């Protein structure tokens, strides 16, 4: 542990004489990262704060934004959410100013801010942040990361108990993953579709639907779960495979096929 910290510190110290920008990058991508891995988040936040100042002196806006983003993450990990929000808002402002070149970084920042607002039980604000992230990723064309963002949005909607909207988001994510030929994303999105669909089937309003409609929905989810099993075997992901098998068992019970 001590050797790792000392080596990371040495990396930053050596590059101090190369250039301020090189020193700043070493502080962010070596020193602060090692401290984060060691779960020394307060110290990591201090290093990131110094990196922000250094990047500003270098007049490197991209690097300043990356440093502010790293500081946001460090403060969030340290449960200092007020400071995390301030750092995240600074990062988002910088990335917005830089423009198209930093759309992905901007989107990552909105997602992180969304997670922080969610932790503060500010779910409406959190969803607004994720909507901004989605807009950035749609404009930039990073559709795989867009799926990840939709999955984050989905978790928040499930927390709110909004099963119908969550089911729509899950379906959108699955369509994108299929279009991108992203096998891992497809399998994960399938599980999200099953989770949200089963939630709508367990809802009180589901009792008003004809049994045939209910059973057809169960059958569709079982087919999807079997597809997830097949994909998980191909990509070698036992967690997805095990979860999909659990869903098959549960859905068979839901469809009264015990």
């Amino acid at each position: 542990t001590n050797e790792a910290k000392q080596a990371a510190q040495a990396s930053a110290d050596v590059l101090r004489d190369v250039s301020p920008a090189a020193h700043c990058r070493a502080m962010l991508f070596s020193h602060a990262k090692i401290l984060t891995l060691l779960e020394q988040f307060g110290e990591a936040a201090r290093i990131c704060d110094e990196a922000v100042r250094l990047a500003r002196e270098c007049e490197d806006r991209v690097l300043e934004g990356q440093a502010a983003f790293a500081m946001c993450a460090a403060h969030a990990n340290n449960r200092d959410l007020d400071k995390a929000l301030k750092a995240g808002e600074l990062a988002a402002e910088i990335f917005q100013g830089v423009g198209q070149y930093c759309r992905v970084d901007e989107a990552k920042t909105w997602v992180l801010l969304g997670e922080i607002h969610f932790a503060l039980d500010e779910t409406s604000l959190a969803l607004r942040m994720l909507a901004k992230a989605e807009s950035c990723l749609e404009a930039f064309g990073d559709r795989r990361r867009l799926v990840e963002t939709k999955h984050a949005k989905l978790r928040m909607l499930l927390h709110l108990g909004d099963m119908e909207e969550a089911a729509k988001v899950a379906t959108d994510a699955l369509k994108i993953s299929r279009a991108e030929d992203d096998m891992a994303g497809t399998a994960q999105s399938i599980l999200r579709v099953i989770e949200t669909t089963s939630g709508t089937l367990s809802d009180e309003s589901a009792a008003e639907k004809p049994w045939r409609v209910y059973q057809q929905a169960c059958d569709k989810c079982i087919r999807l779960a079997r597809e997830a099993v097949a994909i998980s075997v191909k990509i070698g992901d036992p967690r997805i495979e095990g979860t999909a098998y659990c869903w098959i068992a549960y859905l068979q019970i839901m469809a009264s096929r015990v």
Side-chain angles (χ1 to χ4, degrees), residues 110-168:
W110 291 127
V111 170
L112 182 52
L113 284 169
E115 296 287 359
I116 294 167
H117 283 296
F118 186 62
L120 291 167
D121 288 328
E122 298 170 347
T123 311
S124 295
L125 264 176
L127 289 170
R128 230 178 292 165
M129 299 296 103
L130 292 189
K132 290 184 178 184
E134 287 180 288
S135 296
C136 288
L137 295 169
E138 284 169 355
F140 188 74
D142 190 337
R143 291 170 63 77
R144 293 195 179 197
R145 197 179 293 274
L146 176 60
V147 168
E148 294 173 7
T149 304
K150 286 185 178 293
H151 287 172
K153 183 178 183 180
L154 180 65
R155 289 193 297 273
M156 294 180 189
L157 290 168
L158 289 172
H159 176 75
L160 287 174
D162 191 345
M163 288 297 176
E164 286 195 14
E165 186 61 28
K168 291 177 185 176

Side-chain angles (χ1 to χ4, degrees), residues 57-233:
E57 289 177 3
C58 297
E59 297 184 350
D60 187 329
R61 294 290 281 167
V62 174
L63 193 54
E64 184 184 351
Q66 290 171 338
F69 175 82
M71 183 164 61
C72 173
H75 281 310
N77 284 325
N78 206 37
R79 307 306 299 167
D80 194 340
L81 301 185
D82 286 339
K83 287 184 178 178
L85 284 174
K86 287 178 183 176
E89 287 162 2
L90 171 62
E93 180 185 343
I94 291 169
F95 292 138
Q96 280 182 305
V98 173
Q100 186 68 18
Y101 179 69
C102 284
R103 281 289 177 261
V104 172
D105 284 326
E106 183 188 342
K108 286 164 59 179
T109 305
W110 291 127
V111 170
L112 182 52
L113 284 169
E115 296 287 359
I116 294 167
H117 283 296
F118 186 62
L120 291 167
D121 288 328
E122 298 170 347
T123 311
S124 295
L125 264 176
L127 289 170
R128 230 178 292 165
M129 299 296 103
L130 292 189
K132 290 184 178 184
E134 287 180 288
S135 296
C136 288
L137 295 169
E138 284 169 355
F140 188 74
D142 190 337
R143 291 170 63 77
R144 293 195 179 197
R145 197 179 293 274
L146 176 60
V147 168
E148 294 173 7
T149 304
K150 286 185 178 293
H151 287 172
K153 183 178 183 180
L154 180 65
R155 289 193 297 273
M156 294 180 189
L157 290 168
L158 289 172
H159 176 75
L160 287 174
D162 191 345
M163 288 297 176
E164 286 195 14
E165 186 61 28
K168 291 177 185 176
V169 173
T171 301
D172 286 345
L174 179 55
K175 287 178 181 176
I176 295 169
S177 293
R178 288 195 193 283
E180 291 294 297
D181 199 23
D182 178 3
M183 294 183 74
T186 296
Q188 290 165 356
S189 295
I190 283 173
L191 295 181
R192 302 298 193 282
V193 168
I194 294 171
E195 180 182 6
T196 54
T197 303
S198 69
T200 58
L201 292 175
S202 301
D203 193 85
E204 291 180 4
S205 61
E208 301 172 4
K209 296 177 182 178
W211 174 252
R212 176 180 53 82
V213 174
Y214 179 90
Q215 194 165 42
Q216 284 175 347
C218 288
D219 288 342
K220 180 181 178 181
C221 285
I222 289 169
R223 289 195 299 273
L224 285 171
R226 287 173 178 154
E227 182 186 353
V229 168
I231 293 172
S232 66
V233 170

Side-chain angles (χ1 to χ4, degrees), residues 236-257:
D237 192 326
R239 287 177 298 180
I240 291 177
E241 183 181 1
T243 303
Y245 273 125
C246 284
W247 274 117
I248 291 171
Y250 179 67
L251 289 160
Q252 291 285 1
I253 292 171
M254 285 182 70
S256 298
R257 292 178 180 172

